[in-house]
Amino acid sequence: MNGLRVIPTWRHGQERLYVYGEDGTTVAWYDREAARVNLLSESSREAVLAVLGPFVTGQYTVGPPPVPTPVELVRLSLHPDDDLAPNRPGEALLISLDRDPAPPRRLRVDPRRRALAAQQQVGEVLDGLEAAGWRVLHSVPLPGGACVHHLLIGPGGLFALHVLPARKQRIRITDPLLAAGRAAPHPLLRRVRADASRASFALTAEVRAALVLVDPGPVEVQTPPRDVRVLTLTDLPTLTRSGGLLKPADVEALHAMARDRATWQRV
């Protein structure tokens, strides 16, 4: 078998080397962590091992792919339109801006773009937590037009994160009200709690609420928010320090459930 190509990919913080044929179909893949070459056809063994030779070190096994787990079967059965895992940070805002772009001569920056930039910053940090056993979904749509900006699932539990672009403004928190700069206070914390509550109902598991302030000025907490963690970008990695609540299998099962759009249709 000639014309094989080796393409490295990363998934959940783990590297895999996929071997593709000339027509683009997958022939095999090498799971570095499991030290195993998974062959889709025994007839391609020699060609696959030859092309993987420069990339493979140490002892490894060769054979057919393992039987999919129940979680993997759920993932494989999802229609692409119903799978939320590919959603990018700020997916809902990207769609909104594409469908209804701001006038080109607008004097002020479209606030959707500020919100998008903030969600993308948070999303980049959260994606980096996958190597520690956490899973993240971005822009999870809820009925009625609401959206969980980021859903984080890991050993320390589940978190529904709402992102606020603060832009160096002073933030004043008097639960449930929040005021940014000179703007009038509004009950943002009520919405943050409501989104987490809806996520808990959908997943039948406790989901804790968190508000992420991106680039804030001074933060004044006059009345500490009830059941809402207030974080900044630099605080996000501290979420991984908590553990012992969920086993890896539970994390994967909840992630598989959460990525299915149908899970969120009746919340």
Side-chain angles (χ1 to χ4, degrees):
M1 182 179 290
N2 299 320
L4 297 182
R5 297 177 297 125
V6 178
I7 306 295
T9 64
W10 286 85
R11 181 175 178 81
H12 301 325
Q14 300 173 6
E15 183 184 19
R16 281 186 177 180
L17 300 176
Y18 279 86
V19 181
Y20 295 99
E22 287 183 309
D23 58 355
T25 58
T26 303
V27 177
W29 68 89
Y30 172 57
D31 189 329
R32 193 180 298 277
E33 182 175 344
R36 179 178 177 83
V37 176
N38 297 283
L39 291 171
L40 295 182
S41 174
E42 185 64 26
S43 64
S44 63
R45 174 187 285 257
E46 292 186 7
V48 166
L49 295 182
V51 75
L52 282 175
F55 306 96
V56 178
T57 58
Q59 299 293 322
Y60 59 90
T61 59
V62 182
V67 176
T69 65
V71 169
E72 290 171 331
L73 288 174
V74 170
R75 175 180 59 81
L76 292 171
S77 68
L78 277 181
H79 188 280
D81 290 343
D82 294 327
D83 189 358
L84 301 178
N87 279 9
R88 300 160 291 179
E91 184 78 24
L93 291 167
L94 287 166
I95 294 173
S96 174
L97 287 165
D98 182 60
R99 292 176 176 173
D100 183 25
R105 296 185 180 181
R106 182 170 179 159
L107 296 179
R108 295 185 177 181
V109 177
D110 190 324
R112 293 176 297 176
R113 294 203 174 277
R114 293 196 181 100
L116 173 61
Q119 291 185 34
Q120 289 173 332
Q121 286 181 269
V122 173
E124 183 177 0
V125 175
L126 296 178
D127 286 340
L129 303 181
E130 292 208 340
W134 291 75
R135 301 291 177 257
V136 60
L137 293 171
H138 306 293
S139 200
V140 177
L142 300 175
C147 171
V148 175
H149 294 169
H150 307 281
L151 180 68
L152 186 64
I153 307 170
L158 297 88
F159 296 91
L161 291 85
H162 185 94
V163 179
L164 178 68
R167 299 181 296 121
K168 300 294 185 183
Q169 297 179 101
R170 184 178 66 172
I171 303 296
R172 302 183 305 280
I173 296 175
T174 305
D175 193 18
L177 302 177
L178 182 145
R182 299 179 180 178
H186 64 290
L188 178 63
L189 296 173
R190 189 174 296 159
R191 175 189 169 181
V192 175
R193 277 192 287 265
D195 288 349
S197 178
R198 296 174 77 180
S200 294
F201 180 81
L203 299 173
T204 62
E206 180 185 10
V207 178
R208 286 172 281 180
L211 173 65
V212 185
L213 305 175
V214 177
D215 197 24
V219 178
E220 302 175 5
V221 180
Q222 299 173 359
T223 303
R226 174 178 53 85
D227 299 330
V228 177
R229 296 182 64 169
V230 180
L231 308 168
T232 62
L233 280 175
T234 56
D235 296 327
L236 289 175
T238 64
L239 295 175
T240 64
R241 296 175 187 172
S242 59
L245 293 179
L246 296 177
K247 298 178 181 179
D250 297 329
V251 172
E252 297 300 339
L254 283 165
H255 180 252
M257 183 180 181
R259 68 189 293 172
D260 186 352
R261 187 183 298 275
T263 298
W264 306 93
Q265 294 305 305
R266 297 182 180 180
V267 299

